[in-house]
Amino acid sequence: MSQAAGHDPDDLLHPARVISVLCGLTRVVARLALAPDDQREYLRRAGVGGSADELALQLEAVVALLEPLEEAELVDPAQAALARRIDQMLDLMSGADKAHLWEPEALSTAPEWVEVRALAKEFLFLPDPFGGT
């Protein structure tokens, strides 16, 4: 099948890539909104059960792709802003002196994770920018 000029599927603004990024963003944030036991189960199934940093790394990877989508007005500004806020909160949890926050048990005990989950739930409850449900 030939490709139309200017429609490179590797281009971030290609419709399939936009959908992939936005769906990925929702999935990653949904994982951050999960209850601690469900987060640990996700990490176990992903093969990284010994560290919760996988949750942050996934968000960081998707947030890095948002700027061109925002410039093209293909992502809701409120969603992008809240995703960045969650990403910044996770960044503030980093560092050698905060390594304990990335232990799986910290998902249940650390107030920082309670805040992350609250922001992730806020993201999931944002109104649909396209008027859907």
Side-chain angles (χ1 to χ4, degrees):
M1 181 187 317
S2 67
Q3 300 247 339
H7 292 283
D8 178 2
D10 291 329
D11 177 8
L12 187 56
L13 298 180
H14 183 277
R17 291 276 290 156
V18 171
I19 291 168
S20 177
V21 170
L22 296 179
C23 288
L25 176 61
T26 302
R27 277 193 311 272
V28 167
V29 173
R31 289 180 196 126
L32 289 167
L34 289 171
D37 287 341
D38 294 328
Q39 288 174 323
R40 280 190 289 277
E41 177 63 13
Y42 169 77
L43 293 168
R44 186 192 66 74
R45 288 183 184 196
V48 292
S51 179
D53 66 344
E54 181 65 20
L55 297 167
L57 293 172
Q58 290 175 354
L59 180 64
E60 180 180 50
V62 177
V63 165
L65 302 174
L66 290 180
E67 188 174 335
L69 299 184
E70 286 179 284
E71 290 172 2
E73 298 181 355
L74 296 171
V75 64
D76 177 42
Q79 287 178 327
L82 195 46
R84 280 196 179 89
R85 188 169 159 206
I86 297 166
D87 188 49
Q88 290 168 350
M89 180 177 286
L90 291 166
D91 282 346
L92 291 173
M93 293 165 56
S94 297
D97 61 326
K98 297 180 183 177
H100 65 282
L101 294 174
W102 301 99
E103 297 295 325
E105 188 54 38
L107 293 167
S108 295
T109 59
E112 292 88 345
W113 282 106
V114 172
E115 288 182 53
V116 167
R117 272 191 289 285
L119 286 177
K121 288 176 186 174
E122 185 179 327
F123 177 97
L124 295 174
F125 283 106
L126 285 172
D128 185 333
F130 304 108
T133 57

